[in-house]
Amino acid sequence: MEIEIFGWTLLDYFQTIVDGVLYGATYAIIGIGFTLIFGVMDKLNLAYAATALAGAYFSWGVGTQIPLPAPVAYVISSIAAGGFGYLVYLCNFRYIPSGAPLASLLATVGMLLFLEELIVHSTQGMPQPYPALFDDVMLEWGDFGMRGDLLFVFCLCVLATVFLLYVLYRTKLGMATRAVAQQPVAAQLCGMSVQGTNSTTFVIAGAIGGIAGAMIGASVGILSPLLTVPVTVKGLIAAVIGGLGSIPGAIVGGLLIGAFENTFQLLRSVTERDMYVMLLLFAFLAFRPGGIFGTASRHE
Amino acid sequence: MSETLLKVSDVATAYGAIEALKGVSLSAADGEITCLLGPNGAGKTTLMMTIAGILKPRRGSITLRGEEVAGRAPRHIVERGIALVPENRLVFPDMTVEENLRAGAFSRDDAAEIGRDVEAMFTRFPRLRERSAQNAGTLSGGEQQMLAISRALMARPKLLLMDEPSLGLAPLIVEDIFRIIRELNAEGTTIFLVEQNAHMALRIANHFYLIEQGRVVFDGTPGEVEEEEIIKRAYLGTEV
């Protein structure tokens, strides 16, 4: 006799949570991007997820002109999103006085809406197909199965994260990024350029975001303008739940949201799941405002 | 009198409309310890930050061995051989002690030499070696000051600027810091320091400047400082 909870077996839950965690890797990356830019600038870049998806759209656009193998599309998405990240830095941060954090924040909201409009206009608002890899593979153990494409999404996101951590902790550029984030005056005294470091951080964060954008398209099978806001919100929640400024926090937060939303999708349907994600955010803000790895207090 | 290493001429620096330095001129002789005295708000830190390139002067000239550095980027200035140990130390709190040292050598490319210099800092400050893998934010005030000094030395400066290195430290640690300053100077590093503790400074410095409200109002040797009434009253606590 199988044990059932709310009409679903434990295996159903296990399957749902694993699928959610695999897809949650994309939220983790978006969360890392938010956290990383918050770390160096002490400001939120709300356009971040939009640049990630704009990168994916860019590679889709190239793909409509010349047929692209999926891996090439992903690389193009990453490069384009890195470029968009740099543009966001120039338009929303570089020339806005550092003492006006609200101005930068609102500028990034404007950028988010602008990119969204751009996407709607260039696709007539219609969802567009996006190539996946290994979507014909299914790994099966009895009744439990893993989708090959989701597994690939997860692995590529892990690789992107490892790459980022390598840059941050093993290169001079990463040292400058951390130094500027922690103590900008001392960083300059050591010969580091604050603006140079910040702009490079936007490019690198953008580039790994482009991978996440492409992976979102690949795992859903389509790119849609309706993705921008939910991905922004979930990436942001991943960063907040993990503790703004903490990369491990964003990773845990992203995977948690993936599992959480998929579970509520199973229990309550796709139309309701995002409400529960919001409730998760409220619960964290009420009971653990610093997040799981709470370092945000340092930025007070 | 030895050769002039640092020469500051008529430097004015402002924060918006407020002029913190109103035309400061002074110099630091090669191989000596020069000390800047002055009350809070006189412009001492502003001058240090201007020399290091963090603040841009409105006018005036700053030369290191004749080469103009006023208004240049901090990176350029540190490469020319001026390093600042900032007020309140400003260590990188979430980086390890060793990473802090390596950050100090950011402008250098000679990996092997950098490794040797890290080792030399650990030899000079054994406490830093003990804590090399610890985050700098967990160090005591005295240890952070030693780390801030070592970090500046990692750039191999000709001129070491020090902004109140004894601030907030216990007397024994202050003794230590001053011993180290004297050692560094004896090894050939020219030192220009801001210090409130005039008694300690009198024991090590070769030349003094007094700055008030953004202007140099006195300069002289330790002997002259001890004779100067305003300094006696304000900094040495001597009854007149």
Side-chain angles (χ1 to χ4, degrees):
Chain A
M1 180 70 195
E2 284 267 16
I3 307 163
E4 291 195 0
I5 305 166
F6 301 121
W8 299 97
T9 65
L10 289 179
L11 182 65
D12 291 328
Y13 283 105
F14 184 63
Q15 179 76 58
T16 302
I17 288 172
V18 168
D19 286 349
V21 165
L22 293 182
Y23 184 64
T26 59
Y27 297 148
I29 288 202
I30 301 293
I32 289 172
F34 278 121
T35 257
L36 192 63
I37 291 170
F38 181 78
V40 288
M41 303 296 294
D42 242 358
K43 288 175 196 139
L44 277 175
N45 168 19
L46 290 178
Y48 178 67
T51 55
L53 287 165
Y57 263 102
F58 186 88
S59 63
W60 163 82
V62 175
T64 59
Q65 305 305 316
I66 345 157
L68 291 179
V72 178
Y74 305 160
V75 171
I76 291 177
S77 171
S78 176
I79 295 170
F84 289 135
Y86 184 67
L87 282 179
V88 169
Y89 172 69
L90 282 186
C91 298
N92 301 162
F93 292 91
R94 172 74 173 79
Y95 297 105
I96 291 181
S98 60
L102 264 185
S104 272
L105 184 71
L106 289 178
T108 63
V109 174
M111 183 61 94
L112 161 68
L113 299 175
F114 175 78
L115 288 172
E116 206 182 6
E117 283 296 302
L118 204 63
I119 288 169
V120 169
H121 278 273
S122 50
T123 60
Q124 285 80 43
M126 299 301 290
Q128 304 297 336
Y130 199 78
L133 274 185
F134 305 112
D135 50 344
D136 49 353
V137 178
M138 187 80 187
L139 305 175
E140 283 172 350
W141 294 270
D143 289 334
F144 174 73
M146 264 178 157
R147 273 170 55 192
D149 55 344
L150 273 187
L151 203 56
F152 173 76
V153 164
F154 183 78
C155 292
L156 192 59
C157 288
V158 168
L159 273 182
T161 308
V162 168
F163 166 77
L164 178 76
L165 292 176
Y166 175 82
V167 170
L168 273 182
Y169 290 95
R170 290 283 179 274
T171 67
K172 264 184 110 169
L173 170 67
M175 170 181 273
T177 304
R178 289 182 296 140
V180 166
Q182 292 173 28
Q183 189 42 262
V185 170
Q188 291 181 73
L189 291 175
C190 291
M192 299 162 186
S193 151
V194 170
Q195 280 168 3
T197 306
N198 286 346
S199 61
T200 320
T201 306
F202 271 79
V203 171
I204 290 178
I208 68 157
I211 291 181
M215 289 304 96
I216 288 168
S219 43
V220 184
I222 54 158
L223 287 172
S224 149
L226 295 176
L227 284 169
T228 324
V229 169
V231 171
T232 301
V233 169
K234 284 167 198 166
L236 209 49
I237 295 176
V240 170
I241 285 180
L244 257 184
S246 161
I247 290 178
I251 296 172
V252 173
L255 301 181
L256 186 66
I257 290 170
F260 191 83
E261 72 166 16
N262 224 27
T263 307
F264 277 86
Q265 180 170 333
L266 176 77
L267 293 174
R268 301 297 308 171
S269 92
V270 65
T271 50
E272 273 186 39
R273 66 166 196 207
D274 287 1
M275 292 187 343
Y276 295 98
V277 177
M278 289 301 163
L279 290 178
L280 182 68
L281 173 66
F282 296 149
F284 262 90
L285 288 179
F287 297 111
R288 200 167 163 79
I292 302 171
F293 291 80
T295 55
S297 55
R298 192 161 53 75
H299 292 273
E300 288 301 308
Chain B
M1 186 73 188
S2 48
E3 210 183 317
T4 299
L5 180 61
L6 171 79
K7 190 165 169 56
V8 175
S9 316
D10 194 31
V11 162
T13 305
Y15 300 96
I18 301 154
E19 209 165 51
L21 298 180
K22 298 166 181 166
V24 168
S25 300
L26 48 78
S27 58
D30 204 356
E32 292 197 342
I33 299 179
T34 306
C35 178
L36 184 63
L37 298 169
N40 287 333
K44 305 186 298 290
T45 295
T46 305
L47 178 61
M48 289 297 191
M49 290 293 206
T50 307
I51 297 172
I54 303 289
L55 298 172
K56 306 281 172 245
R58 282 215 171 150
R59 62 163 200 273
S61 134
I62 300 167
T63 58
L64 184 77
R65 225 171 243 139
E67 189 189 348
E68 184 64 51
V69 296
R72 300 300 301 263
R75 175 178 189 117
H76 175 90
I77 291 171
V78 80
E79 277 170 1
R80 284 293 158 284
I82 301 180
L84 168 62
V85 183
E87 189 180 15
N88 296 322
R89 313 179 267 276
L90 308 188
V91 296
F92 302 115
D94 296 334
M95 284 166 56
T96 66
V97 166
E98 183 167 347
E99 282 176 322
N100 268 268
L101 293 179
R102 291 184 180 275
F106 190 79
S107 56
R108 295 167 51 188
D109 280 321
D110 42 345
E113 285 288 294
I114 291 171
R116 223 163 297 155
D117 282 3
V118 168
E119 195 50 38
M121 295 306 153
F122 284 157
T123 308
R124 190 189 293 276
F125 302 104
R127 288 302 283 272
L128 296 185
R129 188 197 300 277
E130 285 167 30
R131 300 179 190 281
S132 63
Q134 225 169 295
N135 278 356
T138 66
L139 301 185
S140 73
E143 289 163 349
Q144 287 193 9
Q145 187 63 59
M146 290 173 191
L147 179 57
I149 294 172
S150 314
R151 184 181 63 189
L153 290 173
M154 287 298 293
R156 293 197 170 171
K158 298 185 191 79
L159 171 67
L160 186 64
L161 307 174
M162 305 178 93
D163 196 348
E164 304 227 26
S166 72
L167 192 72
L169 300 181
L172 270 179
I173 311 282
V174 174
E175 290 280 351
D176 246 13
I177 300 278
F178 274 85
R179 179 181 53 77
I180 287 154
I181 295 174
R182 214 175 339 198
E183 271 175 28
L184 292 172
N185 182 243
E187 289 161 23
T189 310
T190 304
I191 289 167
F192 182 41
L193 89 154
V194 166
E195 190 49 65
Q196 295 273 26
N197 190 335
H199 281 292
M200 292 299 289
L202 274 172
R203 285 167 33 194
I204 62 167
N206 307 94
H207 201 88
F208 283 85
Y209 288 91
L210 174 64
I211 177 172
E212 278 180 359
Q213 292 176 13
R215 289 194 177 86
V216 172
V217 293
F218 165 86
D219 87 273
T221 62
E224 290 165 328
V225 166
E226 282 176 302
E227 292 310 308
E228 182 67 28
E229 295 300 324
I230 51 171
I231 296 183
K232 269 196 203 165
R233 264 203 313 277
Y235 299 96
L236 299 174
T238 341
E239 288 301 320
V240 190

